[in-house]
Amino acid sequence: MNILIKSAIIVDQSNAKLHLKKRDLLIQNGIIKQIAAEIKPEATFKTIRYPNLHVSLGWLDTGVSFGEPGFEERETLENGLRVAAMSGFTDIILNPDTQPIPDNNSAISYLKNASRNTATKIHPLGALSVNSNGIDLAELYDMSKAGAIGFYDYKKPLTNANLLKIALQYTQGFKGKVFSFPMDNSIRGKGVVNEGEVSTKLGLKGIPNLAEELQIMRDLFILEYTGGELFIPTISTARSVEIIANAKKRGLNVHCSVSIHNLLYSDKVLEDFDSVYKVMPPLRTDKDNKALLKGLKDKTIDFITSDHKPLTIDEKRIEFDNADYGSIGLESTFGILNRLLGMEMAIKFLTKGRQYFNIKENLIATDKIANLCLFDPHAEHILTSEQSISSSKNSMTFGEKLVGKIYGVIANNKTNLT
């Protein structure tokens, strides 16, 4: 297939010659063959034009859940990948929260193969422990060979410190990445929201910041002892940012992410007991949000994730204490980040994970594979439940003003465009 993209402003901060320059791009059989000020269309070309068209490297989300296998009523892999593509993502790191839990090489192979012929690629995480039960280490090396990009007992704290120690030691032989969710359940107790003025006012049991920070301190002490690579997903407190910043200064190989909703909302939105705002980690305070944004800008926090988690009405629209944790967020991620950080910084965080996770197609250049997101960074709109193409509708950002419109992606020699 020959594709000619006309009059696109290229957003690529790694290439000063092309960054923010308007160019035509010719793609042949999935490869960028020419980039020039003007390329004349030919009969064999499929010509693509959009208003205020911008093009960047395809975006990566470091923490996405769907449902299949096991929870297809939440989201299928096929439709989930479509949602990701139409949200600008050419690559997603898929959480291991399906049924059965992917804790062996055949499960990883199944997930990898599911995106073989789609524009958006799945990069699966394997479970760190067998059935994510936190007792026995899973088949980490075999899963790595099958394509697992890291190992994570999704949203389950590792209560067994020795298991984390062994995992960090063992994975060094093949450069595996160990994920550890930052929560000490003995401190959390039965808490469901952030511990503070709002939880007291609403009569809801709170989760103190200490529950997150204590677990991070423990994990970093273990990392300092063992070496290896530790990834701490979705931090949420100001003190967590400080702790990780100090660990990085000491030379520890630690990386972390933050959920986009922990940048946008505080626990004040809970005052109507709307369970759509029930997430894990919980929404914290305005002070925490400001510290998280500062942590992004000073490079303490490495990645931003949508923390996309589809849930059915039966799982979400029930009494607050019994509602499940999670919100979908792929479709609104760029519109929120663009509003909070501006286009260039938003694109930086949406693409920088490619190098860390060794995901190829890191350049917009001739003779490189086309892995592109097409978008307009200025168009404003409001996403509604009716407009969303996600199977589940549990989004806390429905009704929010989004800045930026996604036209779709060209990747994996496929197009998925509006």
Side-chain angles (χ1 to χ4, degrees):
M1 185 192 310
N2 296 329
I3 298 172
L4 178 59
I5 302 175
K6 293 292 292 181
S7 301
I9 297 173
I10 296 174
V11 184
D12 185 355
Q13 296 174 66
S14 66
N15 188 340
K17 290 183 179 180
L18 287 177
H19 184 50
L20 300 182
K21 301 295 193 301
K22 184 176 286 188
R23 295 289 186 267
D24 292 353
L25 296 90
L26 178 61
I27 301 167
Q28 295 179 318
N29 299 319
I31 306 295
I32 300 173
K33 286 299 183 182
Q34 188 179 357
I35 302 175
E38 184 174 6
I39 302 172
K40 293 183 178 180
E42 295 182 9
T44 58
F45 296 171
K46 177 182 178 181
T47 302
I48 294 174
R49 301 174 188 267
Y50 288 107
N52 195 31
L53 176 59
H54 287 59
V55 171
S56 74
L57 278 173
W59 302 340
L60 166 70
D61 194 324
T62 60
V64 173
S65 298
F66 289 145
E68 184 182 359
F71 303 103
E72 288 82 357
E73 69 278 8
R74 297 177 181 171
E75 188 63 276
T76 63
L77 289 171
E78 180 182 6
N79 192 64
L81 289 168
R82 177 172 168 252
V83 173
M86 297 310 297
S87 304
F89 295 91
T90 58
D91 298 88
I92 58 155
I93 294 179
L94 190 64
N95 291 318
D97 60 337
T98 55
Q99 192 59 251
I101 289 172
D103 59 4
N104 57 72
N105 60 353
S106 61
I108 297 299
S109 296
Y110 167 79
L111 293 170
K112 287 282 289 184
N113 289 334
S115 65
R116 178 179 293 175
N117 296 312
T118 57
T120 300
K121 287 254 185 203
I122 290 174
H123 305 275
L125 288 166
L128 185 67
S129 63
V130 176
N131 204 35
S132 289
N133 58 18
I135 299 173
D136 300 308
L137 213 60
E139 302 170 3
L140 306 189
Y141 178 72
D142 287 348
M143 287 192 288
S144 176
K145 296 294 285 184
I149 210 159
F151 310 102
Y152 182 27
D153 288 349
Y154 174 71
K155 302 279 187 180
K156 293 182 178 180
L158 293 171
T159 57
N160 184 345
N162 191 53
L163 188 71
L164 177 61
K165 178 179 78 72
I166 294 170
L168 285 167
Q169 291 171 328
Y170 177 61
T171 51
Q172 290 177 51
F174 53 94
K175 297 182 179 179
K177 293 174 173 55
V178 175
F179 285 55
S180 179
F181 183 64
M183 185 64 64
D184 185 321
N185 277 342
S186 65
I187 300 294
R188 172 192 169 186
K190 296 181 180 180
V192 293
V193 298
N194 179 57
E195 181 182 83
E197 292 182 11
V198 173
S199 65
T200 302
K201 178 181 177 181
L202 300 180
L204 294 170
K205 293 181 179 177
I207 303 173
N209 290 7
L210 179 65
E212 175 174 305
E213 296 152 6
L214 190 63
Q215 188 84 350
I216 290 174
M217 289 289 288
R218 184 208 71 170
D219 290 355
L220 291 172
F221 274 120
I222 295 171
L223 177 66
E224 191 168 23
Y225 174 81
T226 60
E229 290 189 52
L230 178 66
F231 192 104
I232 303 174
T234 59
I235 66 171
S236 67
T237 78
R239 178 71 173 139
S240 293
V241 177
E242 182 183 340
I243 293 167
I244 292 170
N246 289 334
K248 289 187 172 188
K249 288 176 183 176
R250 300 202 312 272
L252 297 186
N253 192 357
V254 58
H255 292 76
C256 63
S257 66
V258 61
S259 297
I260 192 166
H261 41 254
N262 285 102
L263 302 174
L264 182 64
Y265 296 109
S266 72
D267 56 0
K268 293 176 183 176
V269 298
L270 296 169
E271 293 185 352
D272 291 330
F273 290 93
D274 190 343
S275 61
V276 75
Y277 296 107
K278 185 180 180 183
V279 288
M280 180 60 64
L283 302 175
R284 300 289 187 179
T285 65
D286 291 330
K287 178 184 175 182
D288 292 305
N289 292 5
K290 290 176 182 177
L292 293 167
L293 284 166
K294 184 175 181 294
L296 288 168
K297 294 173 182 177
D298 67 19
K299 301 182 181 179
T300 299
I301 301 175
D302 302 281
F303 309 109
I304 303 169
T305 174
S306 68
D307 207 12
H308 184 82
K309 173 75 174 181
L311 293 167
T312 65
I313 292 175
D314 291 341
E315 293 168 314
K316 200 64 177 171
R317 291 296 183 182
I318 54 177
E319 184 183 28
F320 193 94
D321 278 342
N322 297 322
D324 208 339
Y325 294 94
S327 172
I328 60 171
L330 280 169
E331 293 168 296
S332 56
T333 291
F334 177 69
I336 297 298
L337 284 186
N338 193 24
R339 198 177 98 189
L340 292 176
L341 304 175
M343 179 190 71
E344 293 190 57
M345 186 173 284
I347 298 300
K348 176 183 176 181
F349 278 104
L350 290 170
T351 57
K352 67 179 294 192
R354 306 183 71 83
Q355 184 174 358
Y356 175 69
F357 289 101
N358 196 29
I359 295 171
K360 298 179 181 179
E361 296 82 64
N362 289 318
L363 295 171
I364 298 178
T366 54
D367 297 322
K368 296 295 183 180
I369 294 174
N371 190 306
L372 306 173
C373 171
L374 286 67
F375 63 100
D376 173 358
H378 303 313
E380 296 184 2
H381 67 105
I382 294 175
L383 181 66
T384 65
S385 175
E386 293 74 24
Q387 294 168 338
S388 170
I389 60 173
S390 173
S391 297
S392 292
K393 306 297 182 182
N394 57 306
S395 173
M396 65 175 72
T397 56
F398 287 158
E400 280 287 339
K401 183 180 79 171
L402 305 179
V403 181
K405 178 180 181 180
I406 313 302
Y407 295 125
V409 299
I410 299 174
N412 198 25
N413 203 17
K414 307 285 182 185
T415 62
N416 206 321
L417 301 168
T418 55

